[in-house]
Amino acid sequence: MLRRVPPATTPVPTAVRLTLPVLVCLALVYVVWGSTYFGIKVAIETLPPLGMLGVRFGLAGAVLIVALRLRGAALPTARQWAASAAVGLLLLGGGTGLVTLAEREASSSVAAMVIAVSPLFAALFARLWGEKTGGREWLGIGVGLLGIALLNVGELRATPLAALLLVLAPLCWTFGSQWSRHLQLPRGLMASAAEMLSGGALLLLLSAATAERWHTPSAASLWALAYLTVFGSLVAYSAYMYLVEHTRPALATSYAYVNPVVAVLLGVGLGGERLGALGWVALAVILGGVVLVAWPRRETPGPAAPPAAAPPQEP
């Protein structure tokens, strides 16, 4: 799913009331987005990776566009469609697509732990557009990379190709997220709808170009695909947008610290995956680095601060 921190001009409440809707939305974002790693693992057991993602995002994008049109939203212009396709290719093809390909030969829990470093890469790419990286953020980047090193030493049971894909995925996602701020995209939810629809179409083309084979899918894979489409790409995103509107950004993006833990627990508990002591240490170190990077900066008088780095990706 496509997620961004709201721009600096978006009004956000300064006081957070943990109302029932807020708590429900937090639970949805924490659990659903954390579970998508395991859902992908189940879906690609009998479905081709790129084709599965093309169907998932294409359907979700089409449903969202129809819903927005019924509410009176305007369709994107030709220029906005082109920008949406570029962002969709980077985020969904390069980000989610590479994770899905890697999960053929890597556990879902390890994939989630590697992807947790996305905010670290976002802080680096932000410098391309003039955003400053403070000392605490550099420290967080170093801590996160240390966590990845520990993960590689003790738990990264994957082929060299899968390991490479897991490193490239957050690079594509974070670069696309940063670049999207400087492109002419549709407003509001229509941006995500256009990116999902165009990204889904591109993924289906890539599936055909790479001659992916479709076989009779299992019931488990079909249920996983339905779950990823409805809950991962529609329900949880709507919950996230509610949090963006009704809570502080720090609370709305707190899933960054919870999703990897949920993914690891599901992979170990339901998927029979193993995680040793060093793996749990690596997870704690990675999350510590993410906290250092994502922790809100102290506001100082003067010009408005640049937008926060894009949050980590969700497959």
Side-chain angles (χ1 to χ4, degrees), residues 7 30 45 85 117 145 203 212 225 253:
Y30 288 169
E45 287 178 353
V117 302
L145 294 178
L203 282 164
E212 283 190 332
L225 174 58
T253 58

Side-chain angles (χ1 to χ4, degrees), residues 82 115 118-119 145 203 210 214 266 284 307:
I115 299 306
S118 294
L145 294 178
L203 282 164
T210 55
W214 292 78
L266 286 175

